[in-house]
Amino acid sequence: KKTKEKYGETGFGRGCLMARRLVETGVTFVEVGLGGWDTHTRTFDAHKTRLQPELDKGMGTLVEDLAQRGLLDKTLIVWMGDFGRTPRINQDAGRDHWARSWSVVIGGCGIQGGRVVGKTNEDGTQVVDRPLDTPDLMATVYKALGIPIDRQYTTPNGRPYWVVDKDANAQPISELLS
């Protein structure tokens, strides 16, 4: 009961505890979802009362537990959505979709913690320093996991594909790798 309370008595908290237990038993890929980030209305209320408290409690405890158990060095944690949110609040006290810039949290597997890579302008509308794209993020993920990013695979029906699109000129994010 004490452990469950530490993670949070929510679906996300229980998911993070289950993720830790699965990683402890050798499961190589786990996904934990926390929905409700599409806050087109009342974004401040959603973040204050549900999203941030659930995320902070569950993910913070998961990272702490993995580190204490010596599992964070071989476990990669990626926290992200599918796009960013507008830097401006809309007429419904919400934030809309914003593909120009978005944030990702990544740690474990030798990723250097406490780094911020890239920068937007003062009002957050444009990336002004170190623009990166999804293929760069994926190249970083695969590099951290020890998967060659230039390897070509073949699908069962004979089509070639690459772990990271060969035409994307993707590079792992050097500031994050040791």
Side-chain angles (χ1 to χ4, degrees):
K1 181 158 181 57
K2 193 175 184 181
T3 301
K4 289 179 182 177
E5 287 173 1
K6 191 176 169 187
Y7 275 88
E9 297 281 353
T10 64
F12 182 71
R14 287 188 295 276
C16 288
L17 175 56
M18 179 62 69
R20 187 206 78 199
R21 290 175 174 165
L22 290 168
V23 168
E24 286 176 316
T25 64
V27 173
T28 59
F29 184 89
V30 180
E31 179 180 359
V32 181
L34 175 57
W37 293 89
D38 204 10
T39 55
H40 294 281
T41 62
R42 302 180 56 205
T43 193
F44 296 106
D45 182 53
H47 279 263
K48 182 178 179 181
T49 62
R50 189 181 71 79
L51 294 171
Q52 292 307 146
E54 281 188 50
L55 176 69
D56 290 347
K57 196 168 194 175
M59 187 166 143
T61 303
L62 174 62
V63 171
E64 178 182 53
D65 277 0
L66 290 173
Q68 287 175 352
R69 288 167 167 75
L71 295 169
L72 194 55
D73 291 339
K74 61 181 182 179
T75 303
L76 184 68
I77 295 176
V78 179
W79 178 77
M80 61 184 281
D82 51 354
F83 45 75
R85 306 302 289 178
T86 54
R88 294 187 178 90
I89 303 303
N90 69 22
Q91 71 277 4
D92 297 317
R95 293 176 69 198
D96 298 316
H97 303 169
W98 190 257
R100 293 186 191 129
S101 58
W102 48 284
S103 300
V104 175
V105 175
I106 183 171
C109 271
I111 297 292
Q112 297 298 304
R115 308 282 171 95
V116 175
V117 180
K119 180 180 175 183
T120 61
N121 60 359
E122 190 172 298
D123 68 359
T125 57
Q126 299 293 325
V127 175
V128 296
D129 181 47
R130 191 73 163 95
L132 298 162
D133 208 340
T134 304
D136 300 308
L137 172 63
M138 297 316 301
T140 306
V141 166
Y142 295 129
K143 174 109 175 158
L145 294 173
I147 299 169
I149 64 170
D150 58 353
R151 181 173 290 166
Q152 178 185 330
Y153 293 91
T154 305
T155 65
N157 66 354
R159 293 183 62 198
Y161 75 96
W162 291 259
V163 172
V164 176
D165 182 358
K166 68 180 176 99
D167 297 325
N169 198 26
Q171 295 297 315
I173 303 167
S174 59
E175 298 92 331
L176 299 180
L177 298 168
S178 47

